[in-house]
């Protein structure tokens, strides 16, 4: 019955959603292997029955690019479902030209390339050229095995004026060019490495050649690297006969996939206060990729920024969205940065009174409406309408669902991955979060829970002086710890340990060899020497570089990961000050007991969790492996008042749930929201894990971690079957709902 009624959201209200298993294809998803068959999950007469195949919407048949031709028949079919999500293969119709955007309008104008004073923007460079398709094909032989860049006829994904070397690194990294190091024979290792180097050289040469052809270079692209000053960097490139720079080859060999998609930033003039009488504006940073956009009437995929800055080195978060979903749907990808993070600062100074979810949602609604006007698809005055899908993971996942709930005339579909819906509605058992984290650790390594309990009991119960000396803490301690007693120091050290495990658990994918497993193995192996065990954990797993954590934490919210993990220090001591957010009276234990992050991002997130996004999380050392510590609203009120003042630092746990009703979505009339959950993730205990209606659909990934379906890496063979199937299912639902919107 679950296979028939639950898989596509047609379960009776409250019925458990289908959980994608660790292996094998459930009957409810069998249609994905035979796309010509109607989905098996829709029961006859169920109101959502599908009686014909949903066509592939690479370029919309009803809203094709102006001046273009209809897409070929093969482009309108659902791609054959395979063991991995379909590769992007959208190619524009012959002779099709994208219509340039109209002039920007006051109040909603695009501030790309504008200076800090807000002077008129320079024209946006548009590298598209009628010659690029045929010219790019001349480079195909340069690619190893005759492989073509799948974007050779399009502007490169995430690329707008990007440096050729940076682009080549990104594409080659995503292609998985790397040396295998799991071969025992040293000579075989050497041969394997040499083969990988030759493949990398060939691939990079081909990509650079295509880049040069694409941008009008009739010979090759190498001179782009030597042409003088460039805003990204100027690497020294040897003579072609001398091979490639070692740093590039090492980068290619060590990164199986790129972390997100580096992109050039753009700027949009948004409103400082959407609900006040003022008319002030600010520059909101955003990123865009229109390489697969089918023109007016095709979808916008809007990735929502969250609790952290989005630098150009990160750019667009999710290759799955840019390189898979966008080509499937013929969609534009947009990604605005959240207000009060990074460069998107509505006001200067420490006043964060306008840092609210209400203002953030209004930012996004105004941004989307302005983009629709800019691309002639507002749905008004005879224009076609571009449907909008908002996409987010973690807090942005909640924002995505709220955009669909609060602005249903602006947003057509919400895709909410690992969204902590019930946390913000105060509907979660306070012990459940770290219980799930502890279960994941024990599943990764048997005995991990007992090892953590033993190590912490043997170290954090000692005197203040013993803890400082035994753990090698840097002096001086943060001022509040200098003044506090041993109990306060022990509490803060325990907080570092538990939110470090929370971070490792969010990135506990793909199994089995993750950093969570490695951390547990280290603690189990050294439990007999507890001081050494805890000291090694603090130095090795609570302070790490993003690159070191990339393999196992690729699914952790990128902005939070950047803050929770700092560049490893050369100091021999462990610096607790490095764990603090910015701002007055900062403490390690803050509004979010899974970790607020550090620096200005941490300060802003501390403020958000001190006001409308209250998360009640505690530990008891019984259902979890951490020292018991109660959480209370009184503690939060004292902390938040100390940090942000008695007027601004006021926790409001239930205000938004009572106003908006997201704790009872099925009764609000909400529709077309996909909730995905990695069931090993601590946040899944507060997610929507059962279908609420025909169009409020939950997808549970048995071995998934924190929004593993929205990974910061390209889909690959390393992905589990459950994640692959979840992505296919998401793709199918999006195509179905977009067709219904037509």
């Amino acid at each position: 019955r679950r296979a028939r009624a639950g898989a596509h959201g047609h379960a009776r209200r409250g019925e458990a959603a289908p959980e994608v298993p660790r292996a094998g294809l459930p009957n409810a998803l069998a249609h994905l292997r035979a796309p010509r068959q109607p989905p098996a999950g829709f029961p006859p007469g169920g109101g959502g029955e599908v009686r014909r195949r949903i066509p592939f919407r690479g370029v919309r048949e009803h809203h094709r690019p102006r001046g273009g031709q209809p897409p070929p028949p093969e482009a309108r079919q659902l791609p054959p479902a395979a063991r991995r999500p379909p590769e992007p293969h959208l190619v524009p119709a012959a002779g099709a030209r994208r219509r340039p955007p109209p002039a920007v309008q006051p109040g909603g104008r695009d501030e790309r390339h504008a200076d800090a004073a807000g002077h008129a923007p320079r024209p946006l460079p548009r590298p598209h050229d009628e010659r690029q398709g045929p010219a790019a094909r001349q480079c195909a032989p340069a690619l190893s095995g005759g492989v073509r860049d799948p974007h050779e006829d399009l502007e490169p994904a995430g690329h707008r004026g990007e440096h050729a070397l940076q682009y080549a690194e990104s594409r080659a990294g995503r292609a998985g060019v790397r040396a295998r190091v799991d071969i025992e024979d040293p000579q075989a290792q050497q041969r394997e490495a040499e083969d990988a180097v030759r493949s990398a050289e060939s691939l990079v040469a081909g990509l650079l050649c295509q880049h040069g052809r694409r941008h009008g270079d009739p010979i090759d692209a190498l001179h782009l690297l030597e042409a003088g000053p460039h805003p990204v960097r100027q690497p020294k490139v040897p003579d072609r006969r001398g091979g490639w720079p070692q740093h590039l080859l090492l980068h290619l060999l060590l990164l199986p996939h790129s972390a997100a998609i580096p992109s050039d930033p753009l700027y949009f003039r948004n409103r400082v206060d959407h609900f006040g009488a003022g008319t002030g504006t600010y520059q909101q940073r955003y990123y865009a990729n229109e390489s697969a956009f089918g023109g007016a009437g095709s979808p916008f995929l809007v990735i929502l920024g969250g609790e952290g800055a989005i630098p150009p080195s990160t750019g667009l978060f999710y290759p799955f969205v840019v390189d898979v979903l966008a080509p499937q749907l013929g969609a534009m990808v947009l990604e605005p940065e959240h207000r009060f993070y990074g460069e998107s600062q509505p006001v200067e100074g420490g006043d964060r009174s306008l840092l609210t979810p209400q203002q953030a949602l209004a930012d996004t609604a105004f941004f989307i409406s302005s983009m629709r006007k800019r691309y002639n698809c507002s749905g008004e005055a005879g224009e076609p309408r571009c449907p909008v899908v908002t996409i987010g993971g973690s807090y942005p996942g909640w924002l995505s669902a709220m955009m669909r709930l609060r602005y249903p005339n602006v947003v057509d579909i919400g895709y909410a991955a690992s969204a902590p819906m019930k946390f913000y509605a105060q509907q979660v058992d306070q012990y459940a979060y770290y219980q799930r984290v502890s279960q994941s650790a024990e599943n990764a390594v048997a005995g991990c829970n007992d090892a953590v309990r033993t190590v912490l009991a043997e170290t954090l119960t000692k005197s203040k002086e013993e803890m400082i000396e035994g753990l090698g803490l840097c002096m001086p301690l943060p001022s509040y710890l200098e003044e506090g007693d041993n109990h306060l120091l022990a509490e803060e050290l325990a907080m570092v340990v538990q939110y470090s495990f929370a971070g490792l658990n969010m990135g506990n994918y793909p199994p089995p060899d993750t950093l969570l497993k490695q951390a547990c193995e280290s603690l189990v192996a050294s439990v007999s020497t507890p001081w050494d065990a805890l000291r090694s954990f603090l130095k090795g797993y609570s302070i790490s570089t993003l690159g070191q954590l990339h393999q196992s934490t690729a699914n952790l919210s990128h902005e939070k990961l950047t803050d929770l993990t700092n560049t490893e220090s050369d100091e021999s001591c462990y610096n607790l000050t490095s764990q603090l957010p910015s701002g007055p009276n900062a403490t390690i234990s803050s509004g979010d007991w899974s970790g607020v992050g550090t620096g200005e991002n941490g300060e802003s997130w501390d403020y958000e969790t001190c006001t409308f996004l209250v998360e009640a999380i505690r530990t008891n050392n019984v259902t979890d492996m951490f020292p018991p510590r109660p959480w209370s609203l009184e503690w939060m009120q004292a902390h938040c008042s100390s940090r942000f003042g008695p007027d601004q630092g006021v926790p409001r746990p239930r205000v938004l749930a009572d106003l908006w009703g997201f704790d009872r979505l099925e009764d609000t009339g909400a529709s077309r929201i996909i909730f995905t959950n990695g069931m090993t993730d601590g946040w899944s205990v507060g997610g929507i894990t059962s279908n609420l209606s025909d169009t409020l659909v939950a997808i549970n990934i048995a071995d998934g971690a924190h929004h593993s379906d929205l990974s910061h890496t390209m889909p690959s063979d390393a992905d589990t079957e459950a994640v692959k199937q979840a992505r296919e299912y998401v793709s199918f639902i999006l195509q179905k709902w977009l067709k219904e919107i037509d």
Side-chain angles (χ1 to χ4, degrees):
R1 184 170 60 87
R2 178 180 298 178
R4 289 178 53 80
H8 293 278
H10 287 268
R12 289 195 295 269
R13 184 174 302 175
E15 183 176 345
E19 182 170 294
V20 183
R22 299 179 186 274
L25 186 70
N27 293 334
L29 302 181
H31 67 280
L32 291 172
R33 294 208 184 278
R36 293 183 177 276
Q37 301 299 321
F42 291 91
E49 183 179 1
V50 174
R51 298 188 181 278
R52 59 185 176 85
R53 176 168 43 85
I54 306 300
F56 172 57
R57 306 173 67 258
V59 177
R60 287 196 173 198
E61 186 172 2
H62 301 295
H63 302 300
R64 65 178 67 102
R66 301 187 184 188
Q69 301 296 322
E74 61 271 16
R76 297 196 297 267
Q77 305 301 318
L78 273 172
R83 291 178 64 82
R84 66 172 64 194
E87 294 294 329
H89 56 272
L90 175 66
V91 178
R97 297 293 301 274
R98 292 191 177 90
R99 181 185 179 98
V104 292
Q105 302 297 321
R109 66 183 186 275
D110 187 347
E111 293 293 328
R112 63 183 72 196
H113 305 296
D115 59 22
H119 296 149
R122 298 192 299 274
L124 173 68
R126 299 189 63 79
H128 295 289
D129 191 298
E130 289 179 342
R131 299 169 297 166
Q132 63 183 335
R137 291 188 181 93
Q138 300 174 23
C139 299
L143 291 170
S144 177
V147 178
R148 292 172 58 224
D149 177 8
H151 296 282
E152 68 175 19
D153 291 306
L154 301 169
E155 180 181 3
H159 175 274
R160 193 177 293 280
E162 185 179 358
H163 196 284
L165 179 59
Q166 185 181 26
Y167 172 58
E169 289 176 338
S170 174
R171 293 299 304 167
R174 272 184 276 164
V177 179
R178 60 190 184 275
R180 295 182 58 187
V181 295
D182 57 344
I183 304 174
E184 295 182 1
D185 182 6
Q187 293 183 349
Q189 281 188 8
Q190 180 67 22
R191 289 193 299 271
E192 189 80 9
E194 290 174 354
D195 289 343
V197 168
R198 283 193 292 271
S199 298
E201 289 176 337
S202 178
L203 180 57
V204 172
L207 290 172
L208 287 174
C209 176
Q210 288 184 358
H211 185 283
R213 301 292 187 191
R214 185 180 290 116
H215 291 273
D217 179 0
I219 303 176
D220 69 40
L222 285 178
H223 76 276
L224 294 175
L225 305 178
E226 302 169 331
H230 191 278
V232 179
R233 61 174 177 267
Q234 303 175 54
K236 180 180 179 181
V237 179
D239 182 89
R240 294 185 68 178
R241 296 183 298 270
W244 289 92
Q246 184 178 17
H247 82 274
L248 170 58
L249 293 178
L250 289 175
H251 180 74
L252 296 175
L253 297 177
L254 296 177
L255 284 182
H257 313 287
S258 67
I261 301 175
S263 308
D264 288 339
L266 308 172
Y267 295 87
F268 172 79
R269 185 67 69 176
N270 216 319
R271 296 167 178 167
V272 171
D273 186 356
H274 295 270
F275 309 110
T279 58
T281 61
Y282 77 100
Q283 286 198 101
Q284 182 179 27
R285 180 165 61 180
Y286 76 99
Y287 299 88
N289 183 286
E290 56 180 283
S291 63
F293 188 44
S298 295
F300 288 173
L301 303 181
V302 183
I303 302 172
L304 301 183
E307 64 274 33
I310 310 176
S313 58
T314 296
L316 293 158
F317 282 155
Y318 308 125
F320 169 60
V321 175
V322 176
D323 289 346
V324 178
L325 289 181
Q328 284 181 354
L329 305 174
M332 163 89 72
V333 181
L334 299 165
E335 182 182 271
E337 186 175 56
H338 195 295
R339 60 168 47 212
F340 285 93
Y341 294 94
E343 293 185 359
S344 303
Q345 299 292 328
V347 298
E348 299 297 330
D351 183 9
R352 285 178 167 77
S353 59
L354 294 175
L355 175 53
T356 65
Q358 299 94 312
Q359 295 282 358
L361 295 178
D363 273 347
T364 305
F366 184 59
F367 173 81
I368 291 171
S369 298
S370 299
M371 290 295 110
R372 275 181 167 144
K373 292 178 181 178
R374 179 172 180 267
Y375 285 91
N376 297 324
C377 56
S378 64
E380 302 172 354
E383 291 183 351
R385 182 178 181 276
C386 287
V388 171
V389 181
T390 53
I391 300 172
S394 196
Y395 164 54
W398 178 81
L399 289 175
S400 178
M402 293 304 97
M403 283 300 302
R404 176 61 185 151
L405 175 65
R406 299 296 297 162
Y407 293 91
N409 293 328
V410 176
V411 173
D412 299 276
I413 299 172
Y415 177 3
S418 297
M421 303 288 292
K422 295 180 181 179
F423 276 96
Y424 299 152
Q426 311 307 308
Q427 293 178 321
V428 181
D429 183 327
Q430 294 182 10
Y431 298 114
Y433 180 84
Y434 277 113
Q435 179 179 7
R436 181 62 53 86
V437 171
S438 299
Q439 288 170 348
S440 295
E442 188 68 17
N443 289 337
V445 177
C448 187
N449 282 195
D450 287 341
V452 171
R453 290 189 182 103
T454 299
V455 167
L456 297 184
E458 291 294 325
T459 55
L460 301 189
T461 56
K462 306 301 182 181
S463 68
K464 187 175 181 179
E465 292 73 19
E466 287 177 300
M467 285 187 281
I468 293 172
E469 181 179 356
L471 298 176
L473 303 181
C474 295
M475 298 298 290
L477 299 172
S479 58
Y480 78 102
L481 292 178
E482 285 281 354
E483 299 167 1
D485 58 13
N486 63 314
H487 177 71
L488 179 60
L489 178 59
E491 272 192 343
E492 296 298 68
L493 285 168
M495 181 62 68
V496 172
V497 173
Q498 68 190 50
Y499 70 54
S500 295
F501 266 103
L504 292 170
N505 186 57
M506 282 190 274
N508 187 34
Y509 179 87
D513 190 19
T514 65
L515 278 186
L516 176 64
K517 179 182 178 183
Q518 294 173 25
C520 282
E521 286 176 340
S522 175
L523 286 164
V524 169
S526 55
V527 69
S528 60
T529 55
W531 289 108
D532 292 339
L534 184 53
R535 185 168 56 247
S536 296
F537 178 85
L538 293 175
K539 293 286 287 185
Y541 296 97
S542 68
I543 296 183
S544 301
T545 63
L546 182 61
Q548 288 172 315
L549 287 177
H550 175 76
Q551 288 303 310
S552 65
T553 54
N555 300 281
L556 174 58
S557 173
H558 192 281
E559 58 273 12
K560 184 176 286 189
L561 174 62
T562 304
D563 291 329
L564 288 178
T565 60
N566 307 283
T567 301
E568 189 163 357
S569 172
D570 292 332
E571 296 177 293
S572 59
C573 59
Y574 181 75
N575 189 0
L576 284 174
T577 303
S578 69
Q579 302 295 312
L580 294 175
S582 299
N585 303 319
T587 55
I588 291 172
S589 297
S590 300
D592 181 354
W593 280 19
S594 74
V596 298
T598 61
E600 294 180 355
N601 290 337
E603 183 178 7
S604 290
W605 186 236
D606 197 10
Y607 180 84
E608 289 205 73
T609 54
C610 265
T611 49
F612 291 104
L613 304 178
V614 176
E615 301 164 351
I617 299 173
R618 65 168 67 182
T619 56
N620 59 14
N621 202 232
V622 177
T623 59
D624 58 69
M625 58 186 175
F626 306 106
R629 185 172 179 184
W631 180 96
S632 68
L633 188 58
E634 290 73 24
W635 182 93
M636 279 289 292
Q637 290 169 337
H639 166 76
C640 298
S641 177
S642 172
R643 287 280 278 148
F644 306 108
D647 296 329
Q648 289 192 22
V650 180
R652 303 171 177 89
R654 281 279 311 179
V655 167
L656 295 184
D658 292 338
L659 283 174
W660 299 348
F662 62 81
D663 57 339
R664 51 188 188 283
L665 281 175
E666 64 273 29
D667 297 329
T668 64
S671 65
R672 292 199 296 266
I673 304 176
I674 303 171
F675 297 98
T676 62
N677 300 278
M679 300 309 289
T680 69
D681 178 26
W683 296 106
S684 66
V685 302
I688 303 298
T689 55
S690 61
N691 300 318
L692 302 180
S693 73
D694 292 354
T695 56
L696 297 174
V697 180
I699 303 173
N700 299 329
I701 307 170
D703 54 11
H706 201 50
H707 56 81
S708 297
D709 48 320
L710 284 182
S711 170
H712 292 281
T713 62
M714 273 294 289
S716 74
D717 288 335
D719 287 313
T720 65
E721 286 300 314
V723 166
K724 292 176 185 178
Q725 293 164 19
R727 287 173 176 157
E728 291 175 338
Y729 192 13
V730 167
S731 175
F732 174 82
I733 294 174
L734 291 179
Q735 292 181 68
K736 174 184 181 297
W737 286 350
L738 286 170
K739 184 65 177 179
E740 291 173 352
I741 293 170
D742 283 344

